[in-house]
Amino acid sequence: MTLRQKASVRKVFIYLILIIMVVASLFPILFCLSASLRTQEDLFQNMFPFSLKSLIPSAATLENYTIIFTKYEFWRPIMNTLIVTVFTIIFGCILNSMAAFAFTCFEFKGKKILFPLVLISFMVPFEAIAIPLYGVASDLHMVDTYAGMIIPAIADGLVTFLFIQFFKDIPPSLVEAARVDGAKWPTIFTRIIMPISVPVFVTAGLMIFMNQWNAYMWPLLVARSKEIRTIQIAISQFSGERSIQWTYIYASSMVSAIIPICLFLPFQKYFVEGITAGSVKG
């Protein structure tokens, strides 16, 4: 076998592996889409044994999407989740970026203690603090309110660490020049640091968005009334004690997945820039 033939075989093998990985990655989404376009009877009739009929609806229908939005008012949890997510992103980016700016540009007492605590904070599983946090939220009368879902999620150690790593790459001479010109710290942060930190702000916003959009345990504890339930809680309501509406679950899951995908794709470039910033030194 010549070198050219070996190279061709290697290339075919690589493409084959990539195709298998793509199919394996997209299969859950394609199956979910297919199931959301079927009736409950059609879904289970062709499920066993698994075959091509299990993936192709006998008669595609949008009835499941119509029912979840009309009968179950699925638009309400979507709006609730958007409200919680948008406010968490705004206040989360502001608060965590300011904390990171302080850690990067200032020397203060307790800095060597506080910084490790920030790192430890995102290593602790949320389940470990959920009950004590609920007690605090209850004492502050934040249970069953939007504030109860937003405020605990604003401070995020991982997002703060991401900002710190990005701010460390900003030349200190830029800040020093602004100080020499008489600029105050709020002006430096808003007029100099923020405009050149767009990638990390987009990355932080997307990270907060995904955390809030997929949040289940905390909204389950805090959001008692139907009026403020978020999208993941609403999806779980289709699973009852006596029956599970699988087609409604698949339809609502597709709606839940489409919104983050549509948001992520336009900002993918900034997300990659923000994640990789500070990873290479030299």
Side-chain angles (χ1 to χ4, degrees), residues 124-219:
V124 177
F126 177 77
E127 291 77 5
I129 63 171
I131 302 303
L133 186 61
Y134 178 83
V136 174
S138 179
D139 293 339
L140 296 175
H141 305 287
M142 292 194 302
V143 175
D144 208 23
T145 64
Y146 287 116
M149 290 185 285
I150 295 171
I151 295 176
I154 290 177
D156 191 316
L158 182 58
V159 175
T160 302
F161 178 73
L162 184 69
F163 276 111
I164 290 173
Q165 292 302 106
F166 188 91
F167 290 163
K168 282 182 177 179
D169 284 348
I170 297 177
S173 58
L174 192 64
V175 176
E176 292 173 2
R179 291 290 293 170
V180 170
D181 290 339
K184 296 183 179 180
W185 287 113
T187 304
I188 294 174
F189 180 72
T190 55
R191 299 290 182 87
I192 298 176
I193 301 299
M194 291 183 69
I196 62 178
S197 303
V198 172
V200 72
F201 272 95
V202 173
T203 303
L206 288 175
M207 290 175 62
I208 296 173
F209 175 85
M210 295 307 299
N211 289 337
Q212 289 296 87
W213 191 263
N214 296 320
Y216 178 78
M217 185 174 181
W218 183 244

Side-chain angles (χ1 to χ4, degrees), residues 55-76:
L55 296 176
I56 302 176
S58 300
T61 175
L62 296 175
E63 182 182 3
N64 297 317
Y65 292 93
T66 303
I67 291 175
I68 64 173
F69 278 103
T70 55
K71 181 179 179 180
Y72 294 98
E73 297 182 338
F74 195 66
W75 56 269
R76 188 185 298 275

Side-chain angles (χ1 to χ4, degrees), residues 243-276:
S243 64
I244 300 177
Q245 300 291 339
W246 287 107
T247 52
Y248 298 165
I249 291 176
Y250 286 124
S252 56
S253 297
M254 283 303 302
V255 175
S256 174
I258 287 174
I259 297 176
I261 291 174
C262 293
L263 182 66
F264 179 81
L265 290 178
F267 298 104
Q268 184 178 4
K269 175 184 175 182
Y270 295 103
F271 182 80
V272 174
E273 289 180 4
I275 288 292
T276 56

